[in-house]
Amino acid sequence: MINLFSYSTINKHKNTIKQINNSYKNIKDYPDLLLANQTKKIRNMIKTSGIKNKTILIEAFATLKEAIFRATNLELFDVQLLGGITLNDGNIAEMKTGEGKTLVALLPAYLNSLLNEGVHIITVNDYLAERDATLAKRIFSYLNIEIGLITQKTTRKERKEAYKYNITYITNSELGFDYLKDNMAIHQDDIIQQGFFYAIIDEVDSILIDEARTPLIISGNTKVQTNFYQNSEEVSKILQKNIDYSIDEKSKSIILTAQGISRCEAILKIDNLYDIQNPWIKYIINSLKAKELFLKNRDYIIKDEQITIVDEFTGRVMTGRRWSDGLHQAIEAKENIKIEAENKTLASITYQNLFLLYKKLSGMTGTAKTEEEEFNNIYKMKVVSIPTNQKCLRKDMPDLVYKNEYIKWKSIAHECLDMYKTGRPTLIGTTSISKSELLSKMLQELSIPHNLLNAKPENIAQESKIILEAGRKNTITIATNMAGRGTDIILGGSTEKIVEEEIKQYIKNSDNIKTNSNDEEVYSMIKKIKLQTKNDRNNIIKDENFLALQRTYTNLKEKYKKLCKSEKDYISQIGGLYVIGTERHESRRIDNQLRGRSGRQGDKGTSRFFLSLQDNLFRIFGGNKIENIVQSLNIENDTPIESIILTKSLDAAQKKVESYFYDIRKQLFEYDEVINNQRKAIYKERKKILTHVFTRDCVIEYGEQTIKEMLDIYLKDKRKEQTLKKVIKLLNIKANTTHLAEMSSLELRHYLNEQLRISYDLKEIYLEQLRPGLIRQLEKYYLLQQIDQGWQEHIEKMGLLKEYIGWRSYGQQDPLIEYKNEAFNLFINMITYIRQTVIYLVMRSRLII
Ligand code: ADP
């Protein structure tokens, strides 16, 4: 559906689009060299009149449109230009599947890269990053713009280079981990990122919404607190359900009652269960979870004396995986098995805060409008719906609702059978791997051939191949929700890909062609054929065997072009791709994603959801209302219900779920904002030290600050001598306290500052004599080490604080305010502690030879 807003946006930019197209017509005649020169020309234009100038956007977009045409033979549509303008404005372009978002991203990427600060294009997986970077490289080779690519395989050295390129393709998780690692670097040279200037996020809803609930974490091992686990386990056995604690099924959590809290404190003989310095509560909650929510032979099994997780969807045993935050250890205690070391968070960040580091942010996806409020509130990005290039012909049929799940799945299987008989390609989306496997079994029983796809990372490349096939005649594809995202379903199949496959086989089987059949060589040969077929002047090859191969290629292409076309015509006649949803998802956005698989670029298509009243969404969020409606309709068991009132109630239930999850994300964001500001401050200080040559200044500053703080305490405490002694000891100086006690506060401060410097000079001279340059290394080492250690301990305390605040202030004052106050105190304590320890260590450093 195109809303009024998008029309007004188009009108607003109509003129600009017209000008881009006019300019494009002029550029068309440019020889390659002159086209490449555009980059230099536009860079100069930016220097004189700034990047916001409209003429510059017009010139850059037109130039890129021509580069795309030369590299791919595709001519950008006006709606794609509109998408590019939206992204350049720092907003979200909602463009349906198949509208060509990959190319759209290149428009603002080109323009912004001309500022030489680096543009990042973020994708959800390595496969897409690689695929899109390859295409971008081809296009940008016409414009002298360098493209970087970072995947899991890229080494740190290569990454550093890749970040320096004009445009860099990278996944969200690689970007995040690089950021965290950079902020743990010990040497300046180890820092690889160049800053956060402009990012274009592909599948933006998936990254900023679906993945926003779990932060990225870098962790290391810690010591095992065996006693804590064992004692908590004992306590959990004593505590009684519904008296000392209750269980919240919706969020899978345990809540202690006031009585439960007192009971724990009494048994453990402690004053405060929520004491940050003595963190019992975390262990108690984990032990209760282990007791109530994690069951042997359902959630885990014991194999070789180890707790082994069983995947809840597939039932597969996940050897080597462990639950986090001490839960695994709590279960080990319950089962009386050796307790393994816990992982400790060394650094972490949420995607929300990672992406807010960018000066300018934009994103694209097929589905974002339903989450517009969230994008606007948190990221200050508007969602602009870009109209489709051709009118969307997909029919979204009303939901069919069955009374129970079994009948629902049976009906879906039969629907697949009907479709298979007519040859209509059908895609069935499922919400979990186990459900997709269940359906697959049912289809096997009905002897319906089908492809089964799930979102395992190792299958991603294979997935896109299956998705490419999913639009062919007689093809039934079962896919879990996220599988194959980013790859189009083409009705009748993609001629190019089919021919590529055929020719690959041909090359491998041919005796005349010299290759050792390795995929890369075959691929490069196909590339040569394509170039020669396009009459590329630089690539004429006259070898006989090669020419024969080229003829085979051309013939195959002719053959499959016809075949695919007639197949597409047939499929269109019978209605196009049919998409079946098997459950409403936790947001309408994800339902729309599934629907959007069908009806691309003016194709025909249909979508329909098959639901049951036993579906999770309705069971947990639906309430009695839906149940009552069904009772009042009084319908036979296996007849589906197609009722407007029911659909409305289902919509309402789904909206309830959407806002439930939005609230969770919002809360997470608000809480994370506190630690985020602290993280920024710490990382800034760290960077200052790392880049500072003369670190003595930093240490002296820490010393003076410490003196000031301790003197404040001294004066406030009516000049208690012990504080003074403490300062003297900490600074490792010699002074007479009685003498000091007689000084005014200003004198005292000056005196101690002076002593600090003198003492530091002596230390420096001493060390300098023994080993020149050592003192600077020591300073840097102590500063970084203490900051890192302090920060890691702080992260842990903040985590505990968040948990405690949640429990402690149930029904009382605003927990967020309480959290902020306490977080501030913790932070100040950490900083003070870091300063003091650094001074203490530096003043006592010696060289033992
Ligand atoms: P999306 O990410 O929006 O689903 P893609 O970027 O994957 O879409 O592109 C889908 C298909 O459309 C690709 O095969 C691409 O080559 C093709 N395409 C993109 N832009 C154009 C265009 N202007 N004209 C013709 N085909 C296009």
Side-chain angles (χ1 to χ4, degrees):
M1 192 177 68
I2 303 167
N3 63 19
L4 283 174
F5 180 60
S6 56
Y7 275 122
S8 71
T9 330
I10 305 167
N11 280 336
K12 201 167 102 193
H13 296 295
K14 217 173 182 170
N15 211 7
T16 313
I17 292 173
K18 206 165 138 196
Q19 284 172 286
I20 297 170
N21 285 328
N22 284 341
S23 174
Y24 166 68
K25 272 185 213 135
N26 291 335
I27 294 173
K28 270 212 129 355
D29 297 333
Y30 287 14
D32 283 355
L33 257 178
L34 200 56
L35 182 70
N37 197 44
Q38 282 287 97
T39 298
K40 207 157 134 201
K41 182 179 140 198
I42 303 171
R43 264 200 193 114
N44 285 334
M45 284 165 73
I46 292 175
K47 268 188 206 134
T48 46
S49 53
I51 194 163
K52 294 216 169 113
N53 191 308
K54 216 12 129 19
T55 349
I56 291 170
L57 180 139
I58 291 167
E59 191 80 8
F61 279 26
T63 304
L64 188 72
K65 185 167 173 174
E66 178 56 19
I68 289 176
F69 182 74
R70 289 192 196 182
T72 65
N73 247 340
L74 300 175
E75 193 160 66
L76 283 185
F77 302 124
D78 287 355
V79 284
Q80 286 177 301
L81 296 175
L82 182 62
I85 295 171
T86 308
L87 295 178
N88 187 54
D89 286 342
N91 289 323
I92 292 177
E94 187 191 60
M95 297 180 76
K96 303 279 169 252
T97 317
E99 290 292 300
K101 290 188 277 295
T102 316
L103 293 179
V104 171
L106 305 184
L107 293 160
Y110 177 52
L111 173 59
N112 288 277
S113 75
L114 300 177
L115 278 174
N116 303 330
E117 291 190 78
V119 172
H120 298 164
I121 300 185
I122 320 287
T123 64
V124 287
N125 62 45
D126 279 351
Y127 167 75
L128 292 174
E130 211 166 326
R131 187 195 72 178
D132 294 354
T134 312
L135 176 68
K137 258 181 210 159
R138 233 168 74 206
I139 293 165
F140 281 111
S141 66
Y142 285 89
L143 298 173
N144 290 334
I145 291 282
E146 287 195 299
I147 304 296
L149 166 68
I150 296 174
T151 64
Q152 268 177 44
K153 284 183 273 175
T154 318
T155 63
R156 270 194 86 74
K157 205 165 148 230
E158 292 163 346
R159 279 167 198 250
K160 195 167 181 172
E161 287 311 301
Y163 277 119
K164 286 184 193 151
Y165 288 148
N166 305 98
I167 298 169
T168 308
Y169 281 82
I170 184 168
T171 62
N172 48 331
S173 64
E174 293 303 308
L175 180 86
F177 282 127
D178 280 348
Y179 173 70
L180 293 176
K181 282 184 199 154
D182 267 5
N183 283 295
M184 292 165 83
I186 302 293
H187 298 289
Q188 204 182 336
D189 288 349
D190 296 338
I191 295 184
I192 56 171
Q193 287 181 334
Q194 302 283 314
F196 296 87
F197 163 59
Y198 175 45
I200 303 165
I201 310 179
D202 193 10
E203 311 285 5
V204 64
D205 54 331
S206 156
I207 294 177
L208 294 187
I209 291 184
D210 299 332
E211 297 207 24
R213 268 182 275 165
T214 32
L216 277 177
I217 291 174
I218 292 188
S219 55
N221 277 349
T222 54
K223 275 197 277 177
V224 201
Q225 309 272 10
T226 311
N227 282 348
F228 276 98
Y229 290 113
Q230 282 162 350
N231 292 346
S232 302
E233 207 267 321
E234 294 291 321
V235 177
S236 77
K237 276 195 216 148
I238 300 169
L239 298 181
Q240 290 177 340
K241 188 167 145 186
N242 296 335
I243 297 176
D244 297 315
Y245 61 89
S246 58
I247 303 171
D248 180 5
E249 206 204 339
K250 212 190 275 177
S251 60
K252 280 206 172 152
S253 56
I254 304 275
I255 300 153
L256 281 180
T257 61
Q259 185 182 329
I261 295 172
S262 316
R263 201 147 178 204
C264 291
E265 288 169 350
I267 304 171
L268 296 166
K269 299 198 179 58
I270 52 171
D271 298 334
N272 180 5
L273 189 60
Y274 297 93
D275 184 357
I276 295 267
Q277 309 302 336
N278 195 12
W280 274 104
I281 177 72
K282 173 181 149 188
Y283 296 95
I284 300 282
I285 296 285
N286 273 334
S287 298
L288 286 170
K289 278 188 184 168
K291 175 180 165 189
E292 296 287 356
L293 299 170
F294 291 82
L295 305 183
K296 187 168 148 185
N297 294 335
R298 186 191 74 182
D299 302 294
Y300 62 89
I301 55 165
I302 300 180
K303 200 175 120 195
D304 305 332
E305 287 288 288
Q306 285 192 332
I307 302 291
T308 314
I309 302 180
V310 176
D311 185 279
E312 76 175 295
F313 294 138
T314 59
R316 265 186 226 130
V317 174
M318 302 164 83
T319 314
R321 287 275 298 277
R322 294 176 64 81
W323 280 297
S324 57
D325 293 330
L327 178 62
H328 213 93
Q329 287 78 0
I331 298 172
E332 284 167 340
K334 175 176 107 177
E335 298 292 351
N336 213 359
I337 281 178
K338 184 173 170 283
I339 298 173
E340 301 279 335
E342 191 179 329
N343 274 342
K344 178 179 172 180
T345 303
L346 302 180
S348 88
I349 191 166
T350 58
Y351 283 124
Q352 290 150 323
N353 281 313
L354 176 68
F355 285 106
L356 284 171
L357 292 169
Y358 282 92
K359 270 195 232 164
K360 183 162 141 186
L361 191 60
S362 62
M364 31 183 215
T365 172
T367 45
K369 205 71 193 169
T370 47
E371 263 73 6
E372 186 166 25
E373 187 193 335
E374 183 163 349
F375 283 121
N376 211 343
N377 287 345
I378 296 185
Y379 305 98
K380 309 278 171 279
M381 285 194 278
K382 287 197 198 103
V383 178
V384 181
S385 298
I386 311 289
T388 48
N389 183 45
Q390 293 189 36
K391 198 163 165 266
C392 180
L393 296 179
R394 191 186 64 238
K395 275 195 226 144
D396 296 326
M397 311 293 280
D399 300 339
L400 291 181
V401 186
Y402 294 84
K403 274 197 173 169
N404 71 45
E405 253 198 293
Y406 174 71
I407 306 168
K408 172 180 94 173
W409 287 107
K410 219 172 68 178
S411 311
I412 294 171
H414 282 283
E415 186 86 346
C416 290
L417 183 63
D418 290 346
M419 293 305 128
Y420 179 67
K421 281 185 192 153
T422 58
R424 187 171 182 189
T426 304
L427 174 78
I428 308 104
T430 62
T431 52
S432 73
I433 298 175
S434 62
K435 284 174 187 162
S436 66
E437 282 170 352
L438 168 96
L439 180 63
S440 170
K441 271 205 198 95
M442 293 173 95
L443 296 193
Q444 266 167 28
E445 275 163 25
L446 293 172
S447 308
I448 308 172
H450 60 276
N451 288 322
L452 174 61
L453 261 188
N454 48 45
K456 284 192 219 124
E458 64 270 25
N459 293 339
I460 287 172
Q462 180 66 16
E463 264 178 48
S464 62
K465 220 165 122 191
I466 297 185
I467 287 289
L468 266 169
E469 289 280 296
R472 300 201 64 185
K473 207 171 134 187
N474 287 103
T475 312
I476 308 284
T477 311
I478 306 174
T480 48
N481 194 18
M482 297 308 289
R485 227 184 141 172
T487 310
D488 256 358
I489 298 181
I490 297 170
L491 294 189
S494 150
T495 314
E496 189 149 318
K497 298 286 169 195
I498 298 172
V499 173
E500 231 176 79
E501 277 303 311
E502 291 257 331
I503 202 88
K504 237 189 235 170
Q505 290 313 318
Y506 179 86
I507 295 175
K508 283 186 179 174
N509 300 335
S510 164
D511 298 333
N512 294 333
I513 302 160
K514 268 188 275 158
T515 71
N516 47 15
S517 300
N518 103 21
D519 272 355
E520 230 159 79
E521 267 191 51
V522 174
Y523 185 69
S524 100
M525 190 161 280
I526 294 173
K527 228 159 100 183
K528 277 187 204 148
I529 303 171
K530 282 188 189 167
L531 282 174
Q532 179 138 324
T533 316
K534 264 197 222 156
N535 291 330
D536 189 307
R537 283 164 296 226
N538 307 322
N539 280 286
I540 302 294
I541 302 172
K542 297 217 170 76
D543 175 81
E544 254 321 302
N545 289 331
F546 183 81
L547 290 176
L549 186 64
Q550 196 195 350
R551 278 193 296 276
T552 315
Y553 175 81
T554 319
N555 292 341
L556 277 172
K557 204 156 178 190
E558 281 306 309
K559 176 179 146 195
Y560 280 106
K561 218 171 167 178
K562 274 192 210 128
L563 242 124
C564 289
K565 164 99 180 39
S566 77
E567 200 172 312
K568 182 178 175 174
D569 290 345
Y570 174 76
I571 294 167
S572 300
Q573 257 177 33
I574 54 171
L577 178 70
Y578 182 27
V579 166
I580 295 180
T582 55
E583 199 171 326
R584 288 262 194 117
H585 300 92
E586 51 188 56
S587 84
R588 284 165 292 165
R589 179 174 53 82
I590 306 199
D591 295 349
N592 292 342
Q593 267 168 25
L594 182 62
R595 284 201 170 101
R597 289 298 202 159
S598 160
R600 63 176 277 287
Q601 290 282 354
D603 282 347
K604 274 196 174 167
T606 307
S607 80
R608 162 110 72 189
F609 274 74
F610 286 63
L611 311 172
S612 108
L613 294 168
Q614 289 177 327
D615 291 352
N616 274 346
L617 188 97
F618 306 129
R619 208 172 46 77
I620 302 180
F621 291 88
N624 296 336
K625 202 171 163 196
I626 293 176
E627 194 80 60
N628 292 343
I629 296 173
V630 178
Q631 292 302 335
S632 68
L633 289 172
N634 197 17
I635 290 170
E636 293 288 305
N637 258 352
D638 38 8
T639 323
I641 311 161
E642 213 187 300
S643 118
I644 293 175
I645 315 174
L646 189 61
T647 305
K648 274 195 180 152
S649 298
L650 298 182
D651 286 345
Q654 196 174 27
K655 277 189 196 148
K656 237 196 277 176
V657 186
E658 276 173 23
S659 69
Y660 173 77
F661 284 115
Y662 176 36
D663 285 345
I664 292 183
R665 286 190 298 269
K666 205 164 84 188
Q667 203 184 41
L668 185 84
F669 181 69
E670 285 166 350
Y671 276 83
D672 197 55
E673 214 175 6
V674 180
I675 200 168
N676 191 46
N677 287 330
Q678 299 179 344
R679 179 173 33 234
K680 276 193 199 153
I682 282 286
Y683 283 1
K684 195 170 157 205
E685 179 71 8
R686 214 182 173 282
K687 206 161 206 172
K688 188 179 97 187
I689 292 161
L690 211 53
T691 49
H692 218 303
V693 188
F694 204 56
T695 29
R696 177 191 153 111
D697 292 349
C698 302
V699 180
I700 294 285
E701 191 191 311
Y702 278 20
E704 290 185 349
Q705 193 66 28
T706 303
I707 291 171
K708 182 180 172 298
E709 281 161 7
M710 294 190 94
L711 284 186
D712 284 348
I713 298 173
Y714 170 66
L715 295 170
K716 215 161 65 197
D717 279 0
K718 304 224 167 57
R719 296 180 171 246
K720 271 203 189 123
E721 202 186 331
Q722 73 210 63
T723 317
L724 213 47
K725 277 191 180 149
K726 220 165 123 189
V727 188
I728 292 167
K729 189 171 167 218
L730 188 70
L731 301 176
N732 205 15
I733 54 175
K734 289 197 175 59
N736 181 331
T737 42
T738 343
H739 176 57
L740 294 186
E742 287 163 6
M743 292 185 184
S744 75
S745 65
L746 201 65
E747 277 171 346
L748 196 55
R749 196 159 146 201
H750 280 298
Y751 176 78
L752 289 174
N753 281 349
E754 201 175 271
Q755 288 302 312
L756 168 74
R757 279 166 198 273
I758 293 172
S759 169
Y760 205 97
D761 284 343
L762 292 174
K763 173 112 305 189
E764 193 166 338
I765 293 167
Y766 159 76
L767 286 173
E768 225 22 38
Q769 266 177 357
L770 292 175
R771 195 168 292 171
L774 180 69
I775 180 90
R776 295 289 92 83
Q777 284 175 23
L778 271 180
E779 286 164 347
K780 200 165 259 189
Y781 172 75
Y782 284 136
L783 283 162
L784 292 178
Q785 186 212 35
Q786 288 310 311
I787 289 183
D788 288 349
Q789 201 173 316
W791 176 241
Q792 280 159 22
E793 281 163 17
H794 182 71
I795 296 178
E796 203 174 332
K797 286 188 188 153
M798 290 286 284
L800 291 172
L801 176 67
K802 196 167 132 190
E803 267 178 55
Y804 301 174
I805 291 275
W807 306 128
R808 199 164 50 184
S809 48
Y810 239 65
Q812 292 172 22
Q813 73 186 102
D814 184 353
L816 182 60
I817 293 180
E818 211 174 312
Y819 176 74
K820 280 185 181 165
N821 290 339
E822 298 221 10
F824 180 74
N825 291 337
L826 282 179
F827 189 71
I828 296 294
N829 287 345
M830 169 190 67
I831 300 276
T832 313
Y833 182 77
I834 292 175
R835 285 196 199 113
Q836 290 183 3
T837 332
V838 168
I839 287 296
Y840 182 90
L841 291 171
V842 174
M843 287 309 201
R844 277 163 187 75
S845 49
R846 289 158 158 242
L847 200 63
I848 301 165
I849 307 173

